Amino acid sequence: MLVFWILVPIFVALGLYLLWYARRRRAMLEAFAKEAGLRMQPRAEASLEARLERCFSLQQPGLVRSFGQLASLVKGDPVWIFRSVELLDLNPHGQAQSTHFNRIAALFPVPDTLNSEFFLLDKNGQARSLLPGSAAPDTKFVAMVNEVARSSGARHPLSVTCSRGSGLIYFEPFVVGGETLDDVKALYRIAQGISQRLG
């Protein structure tokens, strides 16, 4: 019985924190949409969920990547900004320590020929491929993304994926949930800049 009285407050506190966390991020995207003069919709269109699954699911055995719980969608031209939970397991040989990640992501069109880029760009402009056994990212593409990210005010490592006609980016701050409104604006500018450079 003692364990029960210890665990109940912990679970209540955790639930309240998660509720505050979700509301804070939703309010941040609402503020971004209002400031940018864009429309926000609370839930995802089925076509957007299908696009994420079609473009970014991993074909390699033992690897998993999918997106769910899409919310706070802001439609720009041609960029979507949204909140999502990413299920990501890049360890084909065992259990990952953590597989569910809350993201604020940007989705945008890219040429179909750019079909195999999935890397993390650190704050020093160095790119590391995220798929086990994959080739190093294309150096010209990395240089372009780095230039756009720096000019757009990126403060965190940036995850970049281009596959099947779509690009997806999100920041990976060292403190989970550490994005600010300025980071959302920077993410949008980066997505626009990459899309324009590739267009």
Side-chain angles (χ1 to χ4, degrees), residues 77-115:
D77 185 23
V79 178
W80 283 94
I81 297 278
F82 56 92
R83 291 188 297 126
S84 179
V85 174
E86 179 184 26
L87 172 59
L88 182 65
D89 185 354
L90 300 176
N91 183 358
H93 305 296
Q95 292 283 347
Q97 287 186 333
S98 179
T99 56
H100 291 75
F101 304 93
N102 281 289
R103 306 293 194 197
I104 295 176
L107 178 72
F108 51 95
V110 299
D112 289 333
T113 52
L114 193 63
N115 199 36

PDB file of all heavy atoms in Angstrom, residues 77-115:
ATOM      1  N   ASP A  77       3.568  28.201 -47.667  1.00  0.00           N
ATOM      2  CA  ASP A  77       3.719  27.938 -49.089  1.00  0.00           C
ATOM      3  C   ASP A  77       5.198  27.807 -49.414  1.00  0.00           C
ATOM      4  O   ASP A  77       5.907  28.801 -49.403  1.00  0.00           O
ATOM      5  CB  ASP A  77       3.091  29.081 -49.899  1.00  0.00           C
ATOM      6  CG  ASP A  77       3.112  28.790 -51.395  1.00  0.00           C
ATOM      7  OD1 ASP A  77       3.190  27.599 -51.765  1.00  0.00           O
ATOM      8  OD2 ASP A  77       3.058  29.749 -52.183  1.00  0.00           O
ATOM      9  N   PRO A  78       5.683  26.597 -49.680  1.00  0.00           N
ATOM     10  CA  PRO A  78       4.975  25.308 -49.748  1.00  0.00           C
ATOM     11  C   PRO A  78       5.219  24.442 -48.508  1.00  0.00           C
ATOM     12  O   PRO A  78       5.219  23.229 -48.582  1.00  0.00           O
ATOM     13  CB  PRO A  78       5.629  24.664 -50.970  1.00  0.00           C
ATOM     14  CG  PRO A  78       7.073  25.109 -50.849  1.00  0.00           C
ATOM     15  CD  PRO A  78       7.057  26.482 -50.208  1.00  0.00           C
ATOM     16  N   VAL A  79       5.441  25.073 -47.354  1.00  0.00           N
ATOM     17  CA  VAL A  79       5.927  24.376 -46.156  1.00  0.00           C
ATOM     18  C   VAL A  79       4.794  24.115 -45.172  1.00  0.00           C
ATOM     19  O   VAL A  79       3.966  24.991 -44.917  1.00  0.00           O
ATOM     20  CB  VAL A  79       7.029  25.209 -45.467  1.00  0.00           C
ATOM     21  CG1 VAL A  79       7.518  24.539 -44.201  1.00  0.00           C
ATOM     22  CG2 VAL A  79       8.190  25.476 -46.421  1.00  0.00           C
ATOM     23  N   TRP A  80       4.769  22.911 -44.604  1.00  0.00           N
ATOM     24  CA  TRP A  80       3.931  22.602 -43.441  1.00  0.00           C
ATOM     25  C   TRP A  80       4.823  22.614 -42.195  1.00  0.00           C
ATOM     26  O   TRP A  80       5.910  22.040 -42.203  1.00  0.00           O
ATOM     27  CB  TRP A  80       3.346  21.194 -43.541  1.00  0.00           C
ATOM     28  CG  TRP A  80       2.192  21.004 -44.468  1.00  0.00           C
ATOM     29  CD1 TRP A  80       2.242  20.602 -45.775  1.00  0.00           C
ATOM     30  CD2 TRP A  80       0.803  21.153 -44.159  1.00  0.00           C
ATOM     31  NE1 TRP A  80       0.980  20.499 -46.292  1.00  0.00           N
ATOM     32  CE2 TRP A  80       0.076  20.835 -45.322  1.00  0.00           C
ATOM     33  CE3 TRP A  80       0.120  21.531 -42.999  1.00  0.00           C
ATOM     34  CZ2 TRP A  80      -1.310  20.884 -45.361  1.00  0.00           C
ATOM     35  CZ3 TRP A  80      -1.257  21.577 -43.047  1.00  0.00           C
ATOM     36  CH2 TRP A  80      -1.966  21.261 -44.208  1.00  0.00           C
ATOM     37  N   ILE A  81       4.344  23.233 -41.121  1.00  0.00           N
ATOM     38  CA  ILE A  81       4.975  23.118 -39.800  1.00  0.00           C
ATOM     39  C   ILE A  81       3.960  22.420 -38.895  1.00  0.00           C
ATOM     40  O   ILE A  81       2.776  22.758 -38.918  1.00  0.00           O
ATOM     41  CB  ILE A  81       5.320  24.500 -39.209  1.00  0.00           C
ATOM     42  CG1 ILE A  81       6.349  25.238 -40.078  1.00  0.00           C
ATOM     43  CG2 ILE A  81       5.810  24.379 -37.775  1.00  0.00           C
ATOM     44  CD1 ILE A  81       7.774  24.848 -39.836  1.00  0.00           C
ATOM     45  N   PHE A  82       4.403  21.458 -38.079  1.00  0.00           N
ATOM     46  CA  PHE A  82       3.457  20.721 -37.253  1.00  0.00           C
ATOM     47  C   PHE A  82       4.163  20.061 -36.075  1.00  0.00           C
ATOM     48  O   PHE A  82       5.379  19.896 -36.066  1.00  0.00           O
ATOM     49  CB  PHE A  82       2.743  19.649 -38.089  1.00  0.00           C
ATOM     50  CG  PHE A  82       3.662  18.685 -38.774  1.00  0.00           C
ATOM     51  CD1 PHE A  82       4.037  17.491 -38.173  1.00  0.00           C
ATOM     52  CD2 PHE A  82       4.186  18.972 -40.032  1.00  0.00           C
ATOM     53  CE1 PHE A  82       4.893  16.608 -38.801  1.00  0.00           C
ATOM     54  CE2 PHE A  82       5.043  18.087 -40.669  1.00  0.00           C
ATOM     55  CZ  PHE A  82       5.399  16.904 -40.052  1.00  0.00           C
ATOM     56  N   ARG A  83       3.353  19.654 -35.096  1.00  0.00           N
ATOM     57  CA  ARG A  83       3.829  18.838 -33.982  1.00  0.00           C
ATOM     58  C   ARG A  83       3.532  17.380 -34.300  1.00  0.00           C
ATOM     59  O   ARG A  83       2.522  17.061 -34.910  1.00  0.00           O
ATOM     60  CB  ARG A  83       3.113  19.200 -32.674  1.00  0.00           C
ATOM     61  CG  ARG A  83       3.456  20.549 -32.137  1.00  0.00           C
ATOM     62  CD  ARG A  83       2.873  20.779 -30.749  1.00  0.00           C
ATOM     63  NE  ARG A  83       1.415  20.752 -30.741  1.00  0.00           N
ATOM     64  CZ  ARG A  83       0.674  19.971 -29.950  1.00  0.00           C
ATOM     65  NH1 ARG A  83       1.242  19.140 -29.096  1.00  0.00           N
ATOM     66  NH2 ARG A  83      -0.633  20.031 -29.981  1.00  0.00           N
ATOM     67  N   SER A  84       4.417  16.502 -33.852  1.00  0.00           N
ATOM     68  CA  SER A  84       4.212  15.074 -34.089  1.00  0.00           C
ATOM     69  C   SER A  84       5.036  14.272 -33.090  1.00  0.00           C
ATOM     70  O   SER A  84       5.979  14.783 -32.487  1.00  0.00           O
ATOM     71  CB  SER A  84       4.633  14.706 -35.518  1.00  0.00           C
ATOM     72  OG  SER A  84       4.460  13.329 -35.748  1.00  0.00           O
ATOM     73  N   VAL A  85       4.636  13.021 -32.930  1.00  0.00           N
ATOM     74  CA  VAL A  85       5.464  12.061 -32.205  1.00  0.00           C
ATOM     75  C   VAL A  85       6.084  11.138 -33.244  1.00  0.00           C
ATOM     76  O   VAL A  85       5.379  10.514 -34.035  1.00  0.00           O
ATOM     77  CB  VAL A  85       4.645  11.248 -31.182  1.00  0.00           C
ATOM     78  CG1 VAL A  85       5.514  10.158 -30.559  1.00  0.00           C
ATOM     79  CG2 VAL A  85       4.082  12.166 -30.100  1.00  0.00           C
ATOM     80  N   GLU A  86       7.418  11.110 -33.260  1.00  0.00           N
ATOM     81  CA  GLU A  86       8.136  10.249 -34.194  1.00  0.00           C
ATOM     82  C   GLU A  86       8.523   8.957 -33.493  1.00  0.00           C
ATOM     83  O   GLU A  86       9.107   8.974 -32.411  1.00  0.00           O
ATOM     84  CB  GLU A  86       9.396  10.948 -34.697  1.00  0.00           C
ATOM     85  CG  GLU A  86      10.202  10.091 -35.670  1.00  0.00           C
ATOM     86  CD  GLU A  86      11.513  10.740 -36.092  1.00  0.00           C
ATOM     87  OE1 GLU A  86      12.050  11.572 -35.330  1.00  0.00           O
ATOM     88  OE2 GLU A  86      11.994  10.408 -37.185  1.00  0.00           O
ATOM     89  N   LEU A  87       8.157   7.845 -34.105  1.00  0.00           N
ATOM     90  CA  LEU A  87       8.638   6.536 -33.664  1.00  0.00           C
ATOM     91  C   LEU A  87       9.869   6.233 -34.499  1.00  0.00           C
ATOM     92  O   LEU A  87       9.775   6.074 -35.713  1.00  0.00           O
ATOM     93  CB  LEU A  87       7.562   5.470 -33.877  1.00  0.00           C
ATOM     94  CG  LEU A  87       7.977   4.017 -33.630  1.00  0.00           C
ATOM     95  CD1 LEU A  87       8.471   3.812 -32.212  1.00  0.00           C
ATOM     96  CD2 LEU A  87       6.814   3.077 -33.927  1.00  0.00           C
ATOM     97  N   LEU A  88      11.037   6.188 -33.848  1.00  0.00           N
ATOM     98  CA  LEU A  88      12.300   6.043 -34.570  1.00  0.00           C
ATOM     99  C   LEU A  88      13.185   5.030 -33.858  1.00  0.00           C
ATOM    100  O   LEU A  88      13.556   5.214 -32.699  1.00  0.00           O
ATOM    101  CB  LEU A  88      13.018   7.396 -34.648  1.00  0.00           C
ATOM    102  CG  LEU A  88      14.344   7.425 -35.407  1.00  0.00           C
ATOM    103  CD1 LEU A  88      14.134   7.118 -36.884  1.00  0.00           C
ATOM    104  CD2 LEU A  88      15.022   8.777 -35.244  1.00  0.00           C
ATOM    105  N   ASP A  89      13.502   3.957 -34.562  1.00  0.00           N
ATOM    106  CA  ASP A  89      14.415   2.935 -34.041  1.00  0.00           C
ATOM    107  C   ASP A  89      15.401   2.597 -35.154  1.00  0.00           C
ATOM    108  O   ASP A  89      15.041   1.961 -36.140  1.00  0.00           O
ATOM    109  CB  ASP A  89      13.642   1.694 -33.598  1.00  0.00           C
ATOM    110  CG  ASP A  89      14.543   0.654 -32.939  1.00  0.00           C
ATOM    111  OD1 ASP A  89      15.781   0.849 -32.940  1.00  0.00           O
ATOM    112  OD2 ASP A  89      14.026  -0.358 -32.444  1.00  0.00           O
ATOM    113  N   LEU A  90      16.640   3.057 -34.997  1.00  0.00           N
ATOM    114  CA  LEU A  90      17.678   2.848 -36.003  1.00  0.00           C
ATOM    115  C   LEU A  90      18.677   1.781 -35.581  1.00  0.00           C
ATOM    116  O   LEU A  90      19.762   1.697 -36.140  1.00  0.00           O
ATOM    117  CB  LEU A  90      18.409   4.165 -36.280  1.00  0.00           C
ATOM    118  CG  LEU A  90      17.527   5.308 -36.805  1.00  0.00           C
ATOM    119  CD1 LEU A  90      18.332   6.579 -36.952  1.00  0.00           C
ATOM    120  CD2 LEU A  90      16.884   4.912 -38.130  1.00  0.00           C
ATOM    121  N   ASN A  91      18.296   0.967 -34.606  1.00  0.00           N
ATOM    122  CA  ASN A  91      19.165  -0.106 -34.134  1.00  0.00           C
ATOM    123  C   ASN A  91      18.595  -1.452 -34.580  1.00  0.00           C
ATOM    124  O   ASN A  91      17.655  -1.964 -33.969  1.00  0.00           O
ATOM    125  CB  ASN A  91      19.279  -0.064 -32.607  1.00  0.00           C
ATOM    126  CG  ASN A  91      20.231  -1.113 -32.075  1.00  0.00           C
ATOM    127  OD1 ASN A  91      20.798  -1.910 -32.825  1.00  0.00           O
ATOM    128  ND2 ASN A  91      20.407  -1.123 -30.765  1.00  0.00           N
ATOM    129  N   PRO A  92      19.143  -2.049 -35.655  1.00  0.00           N
ATOM    130  CA  PRO A  92      18.583  -3.301 -36.160  1.00  0.00           C
ATOM    131  C   PRO A  92      18.920  -4.518 -35.306  1.00  0.00           C
ATOM    132  O   PRO A  92      18.379  -5.592 -35.512  1.00  0.00           O
ATOM    133  CB  PRO A  92      19.219  -3.434 -37.549  1.00  0.00           C
ATOM    134  CG  PRO A  92      20.520  -2.710 -37.433  1.00  0.00           C
ATOM    135  CD  PRO A  92      20.283  -1.588 -36.455  1.00  0.00           C
ATOM    136  N   HIS A  93      19.804  -4.353 -34.322  1.00  0.00           N
ATOM    137  CA  HIS A  93      20.303  -5.508 -33.572  1.00  0.00           C
ATOM    138  C   HIS A  93      19.799  -5.587 -32.137  1.00  0.00           C
ATOM    139  O   HIS A  93      20.224  -6.439 -31.383  1.00  0.00           O
ATOM    140  CB  HIS A  93      21.836  -5.499 -33.554  1.00  0.00           C
ATOM    141  CG  HIS A  93      22.432  -5.446 -34.924  1.00  0.00           C
ATOM    142  ND1 HIS A  93      22.269  -6.449 -35.849  1.00  0.00           N
ATOM    143  CD2 HIS A  93      23.158  -4.476 -35.532  1.00  0.00           C
ATOM    144  CE1 HIS A  93      22.892  -6.114 -36.971  1.00  0.00           C
ATOM    145  NE2 HIS A  93      23.440  -4.921 -36.803  1.00  0.00           N
ATOM    146  N   GLY A  94      18.919  -4.689 -31.735  1.00  0.00           N
ATOM    147  CA  GLY A  94      18.441  -4.757 -30.362  1.00  0.00           C
ATOM    148  C   GLY A  94      17.465  -3.650 -30.058  1.00  0.00           C
ATOM    149  O   GLY A  94      17.077  -2.874 -30.935  1.00  0.00           O
ATOM    150  N   GLN A  95      17.071  -3.567 -28.798  1.00  0.00           N
ATOM    151  CA  GLN A  95      16.109  -2.565 -28.360  1.00  0.00           C
ATOM    152  C   GLN A  95      16.797  -1.216 -28.189  1.00  0.00           C
ATOM    153  O   GLN A  95      17.851  -1.128 -27.558  1.00  0.00           O
ATOM    154  CB  GLN A  95      15.492  -2.997 -27.022  1.00  0.00           C
ATOM    155  CG  GLN A  95      14.607  -4.223 -27.122  1.00  0.00           C
ATOM    156  CD  GLN A  95      13.253  -3.906 -27.718  1.00  0.00           C
ATOM    157  OE1 GLN A  95      12.886  -2.754 -27.834  1.00  0.00           O
ATOM    158  NE2 GLN A  95      12.524  -4.926 -28.113  1.00  0.00           N
ATOM    159  N   ALA A  96      16.177  -0.193 -28.734  1.00  0.00           N
ATOM    160  CA  ALA A  96      16.679   1.160 -28.503  1.00  0.00           C
ATOM    161  C   ALA A  96      16.248   1.620 -27.114  1.00  0.00           C
ATOM    162  O   ALA A  96      15.220   1.194 -26.597  1.00  0.00           O
ATOM    163  CB  ALA A  96      16.131   2.105 -29.570  1.00  0.00           C
ATOM    164  N   GLN A  97      17.046   2.505 -26.501  1.00  0.00           N
ATOM    165  CA  GLN A  97      16.693   3.006 -25.172  1.00  0.00           C
ATOM    166  C   GLN A  97      15.429   3.849 -25.218  1.00  0.00           C
ATOM    167  O   GLN A  97      14.594   3.782 -24.344  1.00  0.00           O
ATOM    168  CB  GLN A  97      17.852   3.826 -24.601  1.00  0.00           C
ATOM    169  CG  GLN A  97      19.027   2.977 -24.161  1.00  0.00           C
ATOM    170  CD  GLN A  97      20.088   3.821 -23.480  1.00  0.00           C
ATOM    171  OE1 GLN A  97      20.226   5.008 -23.733  1.00  0.00           O
ATOM    172  NE2 GLN A  97      20.846   3.198 -22.598  1.00  0.00           N
ATOM    173  N   SER A  98      15.295   4.652 -26.250  1.00  0.00           N
ATOM    174  CA  SER A  98      14.112   5.495 -26.406  1.00  0.00           C
ATOM    175  C   SER A  98      13.728   5.505 -27.879  1.00  0.00           C
ATOM    176  O   SER A  98      14.594   5.625 -28.750  1.00  0.00           O
ATOM    177  CB  SER A  98      14.405   6.911 -25.916  1.00  0.00           C
ATOM    178  OG  SER A  98      13.274   7.735 -26.081  1.00  0.00           O
ATOM    179  N   THR A  99      12.441   5.365 -28.154  1.00  0.00           N
ATOM    180  CA  THR A  99      12.015   5.302 -29.556  1.00  0.00           C
ATOM    181  C   THR A  99      10.961   6.344 -29.904  1.00  0.00           C
ATOM    182  O   THR A  99      10.665   6.526 -31.079  1.00  0.00           O
ATOM    183  CB  THR A  99      11.442   3.909 -29.885  1.00  0.00           C
ATOM    184  OG1 THR A  99      10.375   3.614 -28.976  1.00  0.00           O
ATOM    185  CG2 THR A  99      12.510   2.839 -29.787  1.00  0.00           C
ATOM    186  N   HIS A 100      10.374   7.010 -28.920  1.00  0.00           N
ATOM    187  CA  HIS A 100       9.317   7.986 -29.178  1.00  0.00           C
ATOM    188  C   HIS A 100       9.836   9.390 -28.876  1.00  0.00           C
ATOM    189  O   HIS A 100      10.327   9.653 -27.773  1.00  0.00           O
ATOM    190  CB  HIS A 100       8.080   7.684 -28.329  1.00  0.00           C
ATOM    191  CG  HIS A 100       7.372   6.437 -28.749  1.00  0.00           C
ATOM    192  ND1 HIS A 100       7.862   5.181 -28.469  1.00  0.00           N
ATOM    193  CD2 HIS A 100       6.224   6.255 -29.447  1.00  0.00           C
ATOM    194  CE1 HIS A 100       7.041   4.265 -28.959  1.00  0.00           C
ATOM    195  NE2 HIS A 100       6.040   4.890 -29.561  1.00  0.00           N
ATOM    196  N   PHE A 101       9.717  10.277 -29.881  1.00  0.00           N
ATOM    197  CA  PHE A 101      10.273  11.616 -29.760  1.00  0.00           C
ATOM    198  C   PHE A 101       9.231  12.648 -30.182  1.00  0.00           C
ATOM    199  O   PHE A 101       8.640  12.529 -31.264  1.00  0.00           O
ATOM    200  CB  PHE A 101      11.512  11.766 -30.650  1.00  0.00           C
ATOM    201  CG  PHE A 101      12.572  10.731 -30.376  1.00  0.00           C
ATOM    202  CD1 PHE A 101      12.602   9.542 -31.100  1.00  0.00           C
ATOM    203  CD2 PHE A 101      13.532  10.942 -29.402  1.00  0.00           C
ATOM    204  CE1 PHE A 101      13.582   8.587 -30.856  1.00  0.00           C
ATOM    205  CE2 PHE A 101      14.508   9.990 -29.151  1.00  0.00           C
ATOM    206  CZ  PHE A 101      14.534   8.810 -29.877  1.00  0.00           C
ATOM    207  N   ASN A 102       9.018  13.656 -29.338  1.00  0.00           N
ATOM    208  CA  ASN A 102       8.143  14.768 -29.693  1.00  0.00           C
ATOM    209  C   ASN A 102       8.912  15.721 -30.600  1.00  0.00           C
ATOM    210  O   ASN A 102       9.990  16.186 -30.227  1.00  0.00           O
ATOM    211  CB  ASN A 102       7.674  15.497 -28.433  1.00  0.00           C
ATOM    212  CG  ASN A 102       6.548  14.770 -27.747  1.00  0.00           C
ATOM    213  OD1 ASN A 102       5.435  14.737 -28.261  1.00  0.00           O
ATOM    214  ND2 ASN A 102       6.833  14.169 -26.603  1.00  0.00           N
ATOM    215  N   ARG A 103       8.339  15.990 -31.751  1.00  0.00           N
ATOM    216  CA  ARG A 103       9.013  16.850 -32.734  1.00  0.00           C
ATOM    217  C   ARG A 103       8.145  18.044 -33.106  1.00  0.00           C
ATOM    218  O   ARG A 103       6.914  17.949 -33.138  1.00  0.00           O
ATOM    219  CB  ARG A 103       9.285  16.070 -34.029  1.00  0.00           C
ATOM    220  CG  ARG A 103      10.033  14.766 -33.880  1.00  0.00           C
ATOM    221  CD  ARG A 103      11.454  14.957 -33.432  1.00  0.00           C
ATOM    222  NE  ARG A 103      12.241  13.727 -33.614  1.00  0.00           N
ATOM    223  CZ  ARG A 103      13.393  13.499 -33.023  1.00  0.00           C
ATOM    224  NH1 ARG A 103      13.915  14.392 -32.193  1.00  0.00           N
ATOM    225  NH2 ARG A 103      14.054  12.375 -33.235  1.00  0.00           N
ATOM    226  N   ILE A 104       8.805  19.137 -33.417  1.00  0.00           N
ATOM    227  CA  ILE A 104       8.205  20.215 -34.209  1.00  0.00           C
ATOM    228  C   ILE A 104       8.944  20.162 -35.530  1.00  0.00           C
ATOM    229  O   ILE A 104      10.154  20.388 -35.579  1.00  0.00           O
ATOM    230  CB  ILE A 104       8.353  21.580 -33.528  1.00  0.00           C
ATOM    231  CG1 ILE A 104       7.561  21.618 -32.225  1.00  0.00           C
ATOM    232  CG2 ILE A 104       7.879  22.694 -34.465  1.00  0.00           C
ATOM    233  CD1 ILE A 104       7.717  22.901 -31.429  1.00  0.00           C
ATOM    234  N   ALA A 105       8.220  19.803 -36.580  1.00  0.00           N
ATOM    235  CA  ALA A 105       8.858  19.477 -37.859  1.00  0.00           C
ATOM    236  C   ALA A 105       8.337  20.367 -38.981  1.00  0.00           C
ATOM    237  O   ALA A 105       7.259  20.959 -38.876  1.00  0.00           O
ATOM    238  CB  ALA A 105       8.610  18.007 -38.199  1.00  0.00           C
ATOM    239  N   ALA A 106       9.119  20.430 -40.046  1.00  0.00           N
ATOM    240  CA  ALA A 106       8.725  21.135 -41.265  1.00  0.00           C
ATOM    241  C   ALA A 106       8.800  20.159 -42.434  1.00  0.00           C
ATOM    242  O   ALA A 106       9.780  19.423 -42.577  1.00  0.00           O
ATOM    243  CB  ALA A 106       9.639  22.331 -41.514  1.00  0.00           C
ATOM    244  N   LEU A 107       7.757  20.160 -43.257  1.00  0.00           N
ATOM    245  CA  LEU A 107       7.648  19.285 -44.427  1.00  0.00           C
ATOM    246  C   LEU A 107       7.534  20.155 -45.668  1.00  0.00           C
ATOM    247  O   LEU A 107       6.782  21.140 -45.670  1.00  0.00           O
ATOM    248  CB  LEU A 107       6.408  18.393 -44.278  1.00  0.00           C
ATOM    249  CG  LEU A 107       6.088  17.428 -45.412  1.00  0.00           C
ATOM    250  CD1 LEU A 107       7.097  16.275 -45.446  1.00  0.00           C
ATOM    251  CD2 LEU A 107       4.672  16.881 -45.261  1.00  0.00           C
ATOM    252  N   PHE A 108       8.262  19.788 -46.726  1.00  0.00           N
ATOM    253  CA  PHE A 108       8.285  20.626 -47.929  1.00  0.00           C
ATOM    254  C   PHE A 108       8.649  19.755 -49.136  1.00  0.00           C
ATOM    255  O   PHE A 108       9.231  18.670 -48.971  1.00  0.00           O
ATOM    256  CB  PHE A 108       9.295  21.769 -47.770  1.00  0.00           C
ATOM    257  CG  PHE A 108      10.656  21.322 -47.331  1.00  0.00           C
ATOM    258  CD1 PHE A 108      11.665  21.083 -48.256  1.00  0.00           C
ATOM    259  CD2 PHE A 108      10.942  21.115 -45.988  1.00  0.00           C
ATOM    260  CE1 PHE A 108      12.922  20.650 -47.857  1.00  0.00           C
ATOM    261  CE2 PHE A 108      12.196  20.690 -45.575  1.00  0.00           C
ATOM    262  CZ  PHE A 108      13.194  20.456 -46.503  1.00  0.00           C
ATOM    263  N   PRO A 109       8.330  20.211 -50.348  1.00  0.00           N
ATOM    264  CA  PRO A 109       8.651  19.411 -51.535  1.00  0.00           C
ATOM    265  C   PRO A 109      10.120  19.513 -51.916  1.00  0.00           C
ATOM    266  O   PRO A 109      10.759  20.558 -51.732  1.00  0.00           O
ATOM    267  CB  PRO A 109       7.761  20.029 -52.625  1.00  0.00           C
ATOM    268  CG  PRO A 109       7.532  21.432 -52.180  1.00  0.00           C
ATOM    269  CD  PRO A 109       7.545  21.408 -50.679  1.00  0.00           C
ATOM    270  N   VAL A 110      10.663  18.415 -52.447  1.00  0.00           N
ATOM    271  CA  VAL A 110      12.018  18.377 -53.008  1.00  0.00           C
ATOM    272  C   VAL A 110      11.949  17.585 -54.314  1.00  0.00           C
ATOM    273  O   VAL A 110      10.998  16.839 -54.540  1.00  0.00           O
ATOM    274  CB  VAL A 110      13.034  17.716 -52.039  1.00  0.00           C
ATOM    275  CG1 VAL A 110      13.129  18.489 -50.738  1.00  0.00           C
ATOM    276  CG2 VAL A 110      12.695  16.261 -51.785  1.00  0.00           C
ATOM    277  N   PRO A 111      12.939  17.709 -55.177  1.00  0.00           N
ATOM    278  CA  PRO A 111      12.933  16.918 -56.415  1.00  0.00           C
ATOM    279  C   PRO A 111      12.986  15.415 -56.123  1.00  0.00           C
ATOM    280  O   PRO A 111      13.611  14.978 -55.146  1.00  0.00           O
ATOM    281  CB  PRO A 111      14.206  17.380 -57.138  1.00  0.00           C
ATOM    282  CG  PRO A 111      14.518  18.723 -56.557  1.00  0.00           C
ATOM    283  CD  PRO A 111      14.053  18.667 -55.134  1.00  0.00           C
ATOM    284  N   ASP A 112      12.336  14.644 -56.953  1.00  0.00           N
ATOM    285  CA  ASP A 112      12.324  13.181 -56.787  1.00  0.00           C
ATOM    286  C   ASP A 112      13.722  12.582 -56.857  1.00  0.00           C
ATOM    287  O   ASP A 112      13.964  11.494 -56.321  1.00  0.00           O
ATOM    288  CB  ASP A 112      11.445  12.534 -57.859  1.00  0.00           C
ATOM    289  CG  ASP A 112       9.969  12.808 -57.617  1.00  0.00           C
ATOM    290  OD1 ASP A 112       9.584  13.019 -56.452  1.00  0.00           O
ATOM    291  OD2 ASP A 112       9.196  12.832 -58.595  1.00  0.00           O
ATOM    292  N   THR A 113      14.633  13.257 -57.517  1.00  0.00           N
ATOM    293  CA  THR A 113      15.991  12.721 -57.662  1.00  0.00           C
ATOM    294  C   THR A 113      16.767  12.737 -56.348  1.00  0.00           C
ATOM    295  O   THR A 113      17.730  11.991 -56.187  1.00  0.00           O
ATOM    296  CB  THR A 113      16.771  13.541 -58.702  1.00  0.00           C
ATOM    297  OG1 THR A 113      16.679  14.938 -58.365  1.00  0.00           O
ATOM    298  CG2 THR A 113      16.188  13.331 -60.100  1.00  0.00           C
ATOM    299  N   LEU A 114      16.341  13.576 -55.409  1.00  0.00           N
ATOM    300  CA  LEU A 114      17.012  13.665 -54.110  1.00  0.00           C
ATOM    301  C   LEU A 114      16.317  12.678 -53.176  1.00  0.00           C
ATOM    302  O   LEU A 114      15.355  13.006 -52.507  1.00  0.00           O
ATOM    303  CB  LEU A 114      16.908  15.093 -53.566  1.00  0.00           C
ATOM    304  CG  LEU A 114      17.798  15.453 -52.377  1.00  0.00           C
ATOM    305  CD1 LEU A 114      19.263  15.355 -52.745  1.00  0.00           C
ATOM    306  CD2 LEU A 114      17.476  16.856 -51.905  1.00  0.00           C
ATOM    307  N   ASN A 115      16.826  11.449 -53.132  1.00  0.00           N
ATOM    308  CA  ASN A 115      16.009  10.368 -52.588  1.00  0.00           C
ATOM    309  C   ASN A 115      16.656   9.575 -51.471  1.00  0.00           C
ATOM    310  O   ASN A 115      16.098   8.596 -51.027  1.00  0.00           O
ATOM    311  CB  ASN A 115      15.612   9.412 -53.719  1.00  0.00           C
ATOM    312  CG  ASN A 115      14.423   8.560 -53.349  1.00  0.00           C
ATOM    313  OD1 ASN A 115      13.527   9.015 -52.659  1.00  0.00           O
ATOM    314  ND2 ASN A 115      14.442   7.317 -53.762  1.00  0.00           N
TER     315      ASN A 115
END
